[in-house]
mmCIF file of all heavy atoms in Angstrom:
data_model
loop_
_atom_site.group_PDB
_atom_site.id
_atom_site.type_symbol
_atom_site.label_atom_id
_atom_site.label_comp_id
_atom_site.label_asym_id
_atom_site.label_seq_id
_atom_site.Cartn_x
_atom_site.Cartn_y
_atom_site.Cartn_z
ATOM 1 N N GLY A 1676 70.069 94.196 121.230
ATOM 2 C CA GLY A 1676 70.106 92.755 121.079
ATOM 3 C C GLY A 1676 69.210 92.022 122.053
ATOM 4 O O GLY A 1676 68.711 90.931 121.758
ATOM 5 N N LEU A 1677 68.963 92.643 123.230
ATOM 6 C CA LEU A 1677 68.081 92.008 124.202
ATOM 7 C C LEU A 1677 66.690 91.751 123.650
ATOM 8 O O LEU A 1677 66.010 90.820 124.063
ATOM 9 C CB LEU A 1677 67.978 92.898 125.448
ATOM 10 C CG LEU A 1677 69.186 92.945 126.388
ATOM 11 C CD1 LEU A 1677 68.925 93.930 127.525
ATOM 12 C CD2 LEU A 1677 69.517 91.559 126.946
ATOM 13 N N HIS A 1678 66.271 92.566 122.707
ATOM 14 C CA HIS A 1678 64.942 92.412 122.142
ATOM 15 C C HIS A 1678 64.794 91.081 121.388
ATOM 16 O O HIS A 1678 63.678 90.651 121.127
ATOM 17 C CB HIS A 1678 64.632 93.571 121.204
ATOM 18 C CG HIS A 1678 64.370 94.870 121.901
ATOM 19 N ND1 HIS A 1678 63.140 95.449 121.971
ATOM 20 C CD2 HIS A 1678 65.199 95.687 122.599
ATOM 21 C CE1 HIS A 1678 63.227 96.564 122.658
ATOM 22 N NE2 HIS A 1678 64.457 96.723 123.065
ATOM 23 N N MET A 1679 65.909 90.482 121.044
ATOM 24 C CA MET A 1679 65.865 89.229 120.303
ATOM 25 C C MET A 1679 66.272 88.019 121.119
ATOM 26 O O MET A 1679 65.826 86.910 120.846
ATOM 27 C CB MET A 1679 66.768 89.307 119.070
ATOM 28 C CG MET A 1679 66.236 90.212 117.982
ATOM 29 S SD MET A 1679 64.730 89.526 117.235
ATOM 30 C CE MET A 1679 64.432 90.732 115.947
ATOM 31 N N ILE A 1680 67.101 88.210 122.158
ATOM 32 C CA ILE A 1680 67.708 87.039 122.781
ATOM 33 C C ILE A 1680 67.109 86.664 124.129
ATOM 34 O O ILE A 1680 67.370 85.594 124.634
ATOM 35 C CB ILE A 1680 69.236 87.237 122.960
ATOM 36 C CG1 ILE A 1680 69.523 88.414 123.903
ATOM 37 C CG2 ILE A 1680 69.918 87.445 121.623
ATOM 38 C CD1 ILE A 1680 71.014 88.607 124.207
ATOM 39 N N VAL A 1681 66.319 87.541 124.749
ATOM 40 C CA VAL A 1681 65.708 87.190 126.032
ATOM 41 C C VAL A 1681 64.213 86.940 125.820
ATOM 42 O O VAL A 1681 63.617 87.456 124.872
ATOM 43 C CB VAL A 1681 65.918 88.305 127.085
ATOM 44 C CG1 VAL A 1681 67.380 88.530 127.339
ATOM 45 C CG2 VAL A 1681 65.230 89.592 126.655
ATOM 46 N N PRO A 1682 63.596 86.121 126.685
ATOM 47 C CA PRO A 1682 62.166 85.820 126.518
ATOM 48 C C PRO A 1682 61.301 87.059 126.487
ATOM 49 O O PRO A 1682 60.356 87.140 125.741
ATOM 50 C CB PRO A 1682 61.858 84.923 127.707
ATOM 51 C CG PRO A 1682 63.182 84.341 128.108
ATOM 52 C CD PRO A 1682 64.191 85.381 127.790
ATOM 53 N N ASN A 1683 61.601 88.019 127.349
ATOM 54 C CA ASN A 1683 60.794 89.237 127.389
ATOM 55 C C ASN A 1683 61.596 90.326 128.086
ATOM 56 O O ASN A 1683 61.810 90.288 129.280
ATOM 57 C CB ASN A 1683 59.473 88.977 128.158
ATOM 58 C CG ASN A 1683 58.417 90.005 127.786
ATOM 59 O OD1 ASN A 1683 58.742 91.069 127.299
ATOM 60 N ND2 ASN A 1683 57.172 89.658 128.005
ATOM 61 N N THR A 1684 62.066 91.282 127.275
ATOM 62 C CA THR A 1684 62.884 92.351 127.800
ATOM 63 C C THR A 1684 62.133 93.118 128.886
ATOM 64 O O THR A 1684 62.639 93.373 129.976
ATOM 65 C CB THR A 1684 63.315 93.323 126.693
ATOM 66 O OG1 THR A 1684 63.880 92.570 125.622
ATOM 67 C CG2 THR A 1684 64.305 94.326 127.193
ATOM 68 N N ILE A 1685 60.912 93.525 128.562
ATOM 69 C CA ILE A 1685 60.036 94.195 129.516
ATOM 70 C C ILE A 1685 58.721 93.431 129.500
ATOM 71 O O ILE A 1685 58.025 93.375 128.481
ATOM 72 C CB ILE A 1685 59.793 95.674 129.134
ATOM 73 C CG1 ILE A 1685 61.117 96.441 129.152
ATOM 74 C CG2 ILE A 1685 58.788 96.323 130.055
ATOM 75 C CD1 ILE A 1685 60.995 97.880 128.749
ATOM 76 N N PRO A 1686 58.365 92.762 130.612
ATOM 77 C CA PRO A 1686 57.176 91.904 130.595
ATOM 78 C C PRO A 1686 55.908 92.624 130.148
ATOM 79 O O PRO A 1686 54.992 92.008 129.649
ATOM 80 C CB PRO A 1686 57.078 91.456 132.066
ATOM 81 C CG PRO A 1686 58.464 91.581 132.603
ATOM 82 C CD PRO A 1686 59.045 92.755 131.903
ATOM 83 N N TYR A 1687 55.861 93.894 130.339
ATOM 84 C CA TYR A 1687 54.696 94.677 129.980
ATOM 85 C C TYR A 1687 55.209 96.040 129.570
ATOM 86 O O TYR A 1687 56.081 96.565 130.227
ATOM 87 C CB TYR A 1687 53.795 94.806 131.230
ATOM 88 C CG TYR A 1687 52.411 95.356 131.010
ATOM 89 C CD1 TYR A 1687 51.407 94.540 130.497
ATOM 90 C CD2 TYR A 1687 52.112 96.686 131.303
ATOM 91 C CE1 TYR A 1687 50.130 95.046 130.307
ATOM 92 C CE2 TYR A 1687 50.844 97.187 131.116
ATOM 93 C CZ TYR A 1687 49.856 96.380 130.604
ATOM 94 O OH TYR A 1687 48.600 96.872 130.401
ATOM 95 N N PRO A 1688 54.822 96.603 128.430
ATOM 96 C CA PRO A 1688 53.551 96.421 127.765
ATOM 97 C C PRO A 1688 53.571 95.596 126.486
ATOM 98 O O PRO A 1688 52.536 95.564 125.821
ATOM 99 C CB PRO A 1688 53.220 97.880 127.427
ATOM 100 C CG PRO A 1688 54.532 98.488 127.099
ATOM 101 C CD PRO A 1688 55.533 97.816 128.015
ATOM 102 N N VAL A 1689 54.693 95.019 126.059
ATOM 103 C CA VAL A 1689 54.664 94.334 124.764
ATOM 104 C C VAL A 1689 55.156 92.908 124.901
ATOM 105 O O VAL A 1689 55.857 92.547 125.842
ATOM 106 C CB VAL A 1689 55.541 95.074 123.721
ATOM 107 C CG1 VAL A 1689 55.020 96.463 123.475
ATOM 108 C CG2 VAL A 1689 56.993 95.098 124.153
ATOM 109 N N LEU A 1690 54.785 92.101 123.919
ATOM 110 C CA LEU A 1690 55.368 90.783 123.738
ATOM 111 C C LEU A 1690 56.501 90.914 122.739
ATOM 112 O O LEU A 1690 56.361 91.581 121.714
ATOM 113 C CB LEU A 1690 54.319 89.800 123.214
ATOM 114 C CG LEU A 1690 53.087 89.577 124.062
ATOM 115 C CD1 LEU A 1690 52.123 88.604 123.374
ATOM 116 C CD2 LEU A 1690 53.446 89.056 125.448
ATOM 117 N N VAL A 1691 57.641 90.283 123.029
ATOM 118 C CA VAL A 1691 58.782 90.368 122.135
ATOM 119 C C VAL A 1691 58.666 89.301 121.056
ATOM 120 O O VAL A 1691 57.760 88.465 121.069
ATOM 121 C CB VAL A 1691 60.107 90.235 122.908
ATOM 122 C CG1 VAL A 1691 60.278 91.394 123.860
ATOM 123 C CG2 VAL A 1691 60.187 88.915 123.629
ATOM 124 N N PHE A 1692 59.581 89.338 120.112
ATOM 125 C CA PHE A 1692 59.453 88.499 118.902
ATOM 126 C C PHE A 1692 59.378 87.023 119.217
ATOM 127 O O PHE A 1692 58.630 86.281 118.573
ATOM 128 C CB PHE A 1692 60.626 88.780 117.951
ATOM 129 C CG PHE A 1692 60.544 90.120 117.298
ATOM 130 C CD1 PHE A 1692 61.485 91.101 117.591
ATOM 131 C CD2 PHE A 1692 59.555 90.428 116.402
ATOM 132 C CE1 PHE A 1692 61.414 92.356 116.989
ATOM 133 C CE2 PHE A 1692 59.473 91.670 115.802
ATOM 134 C CZ PHE A 1692 60.407 92.636 116.093
ATOM 135 N N LYS A 1693 60.156 86.563 120.223
ATOM 136 C CA LYS A 1693 60.115 85.141 120.536
ATOM 137 C C LYS A 1693 58.724 84.703 120.964
ATOM 138 O O LYS A 1693 58.292 83.584 120.670
ATOM 139 C CB LYS A 1693 61.132 84.821 121.646
ATOM 140 C CG LYS A 1693 62.571 84.702 121.160
ATOM 141 C CD LYS A 1693 63.464 84.181 122.268
ATOM 142 C CE LYS A 1693 64.866 83.933 121.726
ATOM 143 N NZ LYS A 1693 65.746 83.346 122.781
ATOM 144 N N GLU A 1694 58.028 85.559 121.675
ATOM 145 C CA GLU A 1694 56.687 85.214 122.165
ATOM 146 C C GLU A 1694 55.631 85.361 121.070
ATOM 147 O O GLU A 1694 54.567 84.752 121.132
ATOM 148 C CB GLU A 1694 56.331 86.097 123.351
ATOM 149 C CG GLU A 1694 57.246 85.856 124.544
ATOM 150 C CD GLU A 1694 57.051 86.909 125.611
ATOM 151 O OE1 GLU A 1694 57.160 88.108 125.283
ATOM 152 O OE2 GLU A 1694 56.788 86.545 126.769
ATOM 153 N N LEU A 1695 55.936 86.163 120.057
ATOM 154 C CA LEU A 1695 54.975 86.396 118.978
ATOM 155 C C LEU A 1695 55.118 85.393 117.852
ATOM 156 O O LEU A 1695 54.264 85.312 116.974
ATOM 157 C CB LEU A 1695 55.174 87.813 118.408
ATOM 158 C CG LEU A 1695 54.769 88.965 119.351
ATOM 159 C CD1 LEU A 1695 55.279 90.291 118.792
ATOM 160 C CD2 LEU A 1695 53.272 89.019 119.545
ATOM 161 N N ASN A 1696 56.204 84.632 117.859
ATOM 162 C CA ASN A 1696 56.473 83.736 116.735
ATOM 163 C C ASN A 1696 55.571 82.498 116.770
ATOM 164 O O ASN A 1696 55.548 81.774 117.760
ATOM 165 C CB ASN A 1696 57.948 83.303 116.777
ATOM 166 C CG ASN A 1696 58.286 82.371 115.606
ATOM 167 O OD1 ASN A 1696 57.640 82.439 114.560
ATOM 168 N ND2 ASN A 1696 59.281 81.534 115.785
ATOM 169 N N HIS A 1697 54.827 82.266 115.695
ATOM 170 C CA HIS A 1697 53.978 81.087 115.584
ATOM 171 C C HIS A 1697 54.222 80.297 114.311
ATOM 172 O O HIS A 1697 53.453 79.394 113.968
ATOM 173 C CB HIS A 1697 52.500 81.511 115.655
ATOM 174 C CG HIS A 1697 52.112 82.061 116.990
ATOM 175 N ND1 HIS A 1697 51.927 81.266 118.109
ATOM 176 C CD2 HIS A 1697 51.927 83.334 117.425
ATOM 177 C CE1 HIS A 1697 51.628 82.018 119.156
ATOM 178 N NE2 HIS A 1697 51.622 83.265 118.769
ATOM 179 N N TRP A 1698 55.298 80.639 113.602
ATOM 180 C CA TRP A 1698 55.693 79.887 112.414
ATOM 181 C C TRP A 1698 57.125 80.257 112.091
ATOM 182 O O TRP A 1698 57.477 81.436 112.147
ATOM 183 C CB TRP A 1698 54.788 80.228 111.209
ATOM 184 C CG TRP A 1698 54.983 79.374 110.008
ATOM 185 C CD1 TRP A 1698 54.307 78.249 109.676
ATOM 186 C CD2 TRP A 1698 55.950 79.571 108.974
ATOM 187 N NE1 TRP A 1698 54.771 77.742 108.508
ATOM 188 C CE2 TRP A 1698 55.794 78.526 108.046
ATOM 189 C CE3 TRP A 1698 56.950 80.533 108.730
ATOM 190 C CZ2 TRP A 1698 56.573 78.405 106.913
ATOM 191 C CZ3 TRP A 1698 57.746 80.414 107.595
ATOM 192 C CH2 TRP A 1698 57.547 79.355 106.709
ATOM 193 N N PRO A 1699 58.008 79.326 111.745
ATOM 194 C CA PRO A 1699 57.722 77.894 111.641
ATOM 195 C C PRO A 1699 57.805 77.180 113.002
ATOM 196 O O PRO A 1699 58.613 77.574 113.856
ATOM 197 C CB PRO A 1699 58.834 77.409 110.729
ATOM 198 C CG PRO A 1699 59.978 78.346 110.995
ATOM 199 C CD PRO A 1699 59.358 79.678 111.307
ATOM 200 N N THR A 1700 56.976 76.188 113.189
ATOM 201 C CA THR A 1700 57.038 75.340 114.383
ATOM 202 C C THR A 1700 56.353 74.034 114.073
ATOM 203 O O THR A 1700 55.350 73.991 113.367
ATOM 204 C CB THR A 1700 56.375 76.016 115.591
ATOM 205 O OG1 THR A 1700 56.387 75.109 116.703
ATOM 206 C CG2 THR A 1700 54.910 76.399 115.287
#
Side-chain angles (χ1 to χ4, degrees):
L1677 287 177
H1678 287 250
M1679 289 292 184
I1680 63 175
V1681 300
N1683 201 340
T1684 309
I1685 298 178
Y1687 192 79
V1689 298
L1690 301 178
V1691 296
F1692 289 113
K1693 280 189 175 183
E1694 296 169 306
L1695 292 168
N1696 181 26
H1697 294 285
W1698 188 93
T1700 176

